[in-house]
Amino acid sequence: MKIPETTTCLECGKIILGRTDKKFCNLACKNKYNNQRLKEKKERRLNIIRKLSRNYEILESLLEEEQSFYYIEELIKLGFDIRYITEVRHLGSRNQIFLCFDIAYSLSGSRISKIRRDSLTRF
Ligand SMILES: [Zn+2]
């Protein structure tokens, strides 16, 4: 006698009887699972927006300063996260600028410099 194949519900883990391609034991589990995925996607997106906003606030505050460069390590202490940018522009093989919305900056080693409003994105 052949043992029927079984699968388990992605939401509650119960064994699903019937078709083996079913992913959920009922509609409630399906909705709960999908709502959770949507919530996680939204949260991921909001986290990225928060990181970009923090970077932008920090860069914007530095526009007012007269200092020619800043150590990344110091900016990290303020909440700056170098992984979050909105654009990279390559200006030749070794020269590139980074943008966080309309604020551009250069990176060299452990320093950020040439922080300025970008004329190409100015409205
Ligand atoms: Zn279930």
Side-chain angles (χ1 to χ4, degrees), residues 9 12 25 29:
C9 176
C12 69
C25 59
C29 276

PDB file of all heavy atoms in Angstrom, residues 9 12 25 29, ligand 1:
ATOM      1  N   CYS A   9       0.947  22.863   6.686  1.00  0.00           N
ATOM      2  CA  CYS A   9       0.490  24.242   6.500  1.00  0.00           C
ATOM      3  C   CYS A   9       1.637  25.220   6.779  1.00  0.00           C
ATOM      4  O   CYS A   9       2.329  25.096   7.792  1.00  0.00           O
ATOM      5  CB  CYS A   9      -0.676  24.504   7.458  1.00  0.00           C
ATOM      6  SG  CYS A   9      -1.271  26.200   7.436  1.00  0.00           S
ATOM      7  N   CYS A  12       0.435  27.266  10.252  1.00  0.00           N
ATOM      8  CA  CYS A  12       0.318  26.635  11.570  1.00  0.00           C
ATOM      9  C   CYS A  12       1.104  25.321  11.695  1.00  0.00           C
ATOM     10  O   CYS A  12       1.278  24.817  12.803  1.00  0.00           O
ATOM     11  CB  CYS A  12      -1.146  26.398  11.919  1.00  0.00           C
ATOM     12  SG  CYS A  12      -1.925  25.125  10.915  1.00  0.00           S
ATOM     13  N   CYS A  25      -3.885  24.981   5.469  1.00  0.00           N
ATOM     14  CA  CYS A  25      -4.979  24.087   5.841  1.00  0.00           C
ATOM     15  C   CYS A  25      -6.340  24.748   5.659  1.00  0.00           C
ATOM     16  O   CYS A  25      -7.332  24.065   5.442  1.00  0.00           O
ATOM     17  CB  CYS A  25      -4.793  23.542   7.252  1.00  0.00           C
ATOM     18  SG  CYS A  25      -4.700  24.788   8.535  1.00  0.00           S
ATOM     19  N   CYS A  29      -5.638  30.518   7.718  1.00  0.00           N
ATOM     20  CA  CYS A  29      -4.180  30.363   7.767  1.00  0.00           C
ATOM     21  C   CYS A  29      -3.534  31.066   6.568  1.00  0.00           C
ATOM     22  O   CYS A  29      -2.497  31.715   6.711  1.00  0.00           O
ATOM     23  CB  CYS A  29      -3.785  28.892   7.782  1.00  0.00           C
ATOM     24  SG  CYS A  29      -3.830  28.171   9.441  1.00  0.00           S
TER      25      CYS A  29
HETATM   26 ZN    ZN B   1      -2.909  26.121   9.073  1.00  0.00          ZN
END
